[in-house]
Amino acid sequence: MKDISVVMPVYNTKEEYFRKAIESILNQTFKNFELIIVDDCSDKYIKEIVSSYNDTRIKYYRLNKNLGAATARNFAISKSNSKYLAFMDSDDISLPKRLATQYKFLEQNKQIGCLGTSYTIKGKNQKIFGKNIYKNDEIVEHLLFKGCTFCQSTIMLRKNILIKNNIFYRTEYVPAEDYALWLDLIGKTKFEILNKKLVIYRKHKENISHKMHDIQITKSLTAQIEAIRKNCNIQVPIIDTIFTICRKKSFELKDIKEFENLILNENITNDLLRKLLKNKTQKIYYHTHGLKKQLYLWHSPLNKLFKFSLSWKIFIFITRIF
């Protein structure tokens, strides 16, 4: 039995990227792992690339038809023989101490079941990514009320949590199946993100998040609403409408008034619902531009309801009147 199974689905990834992804795992300082590569019915060259590596730690499987990365990952999990699962996309890069660092942390912190790390984005403009969210409570709140806070290629999980709770990637949420998985884990384990850059995420036009952006947003929204209802015991009918309004990148006066009326007509007694609505209200403020609309928000009863500070209101007003 290995300590770690590295799960890597692949479908026609560019050879340069695929090789660097494989080699970044094979060159880890931590040695007791298996690399499970599931070929999602790619062209012939993918198998040839894998075959060029003479390393017994590589376990290669090929699906007979293209079923998507979620199915490929689930297949890899079913074939894994380890205590931990580490996820890795076929175009990203794990830094040499990634597995060793995460393994040591999980061994020393038994309460943590899902561990991510900070990472670097490699693309046209390389930059370090991080939301400064590292501990369980803030991660859960962000997952429920804002969105995904993990980069999938940074995740290491305790396998037994998935098996015990019968949790796997849900294909109905593709291409947001990773976000749906983290949401499903809420209440089943604790999360943490290491403030260490251990992965390089490759950003390019072939990323699913780029090619299927609109579908991903829709699926993420559906998964998020389901998780809020399940974990927060919030069955308020207006949630769907509020999330639909807040999907917009900018807001008109009619959107603001509709949003305001929905909230003001709701008797908010649930603390988690109040947090959710406050978060969505702040998004409205952040993404509203123009003097007339900002003046409307300045005088809105929402300020009193959510106790926005005067300094915060002034900041929003000054930075968004144009």
Side-chain angles (χ1 to χ4, degrees), residues 160-172:
N160 70 315
I161 294 171
L162 297 184
I163 304 305
K164 180 174 64 177
N165 295 288
N166 195 31
I167 294 175
F168 296 96
Y169 287 95
R170 293 203 270 168
T171 55
E172 66 267 32

Side-chain angles (χ1 to χ4, degrees), residues 2-24:
K2 300 293 184 180
D3 289 319
I4 302 170
S5 295
V6 181
V7 172
M8 183 186 292
V10 59
Y11 177 69
N12 288 345
T13 301
K14 185 177 178 181
E15 180 172 356
E16 176 193 354
Y17 297 168
F18 188 35
R19 286 191 178 277
K20 287 185 177 179
I22 292 173
E23 290 163 13
S24 76

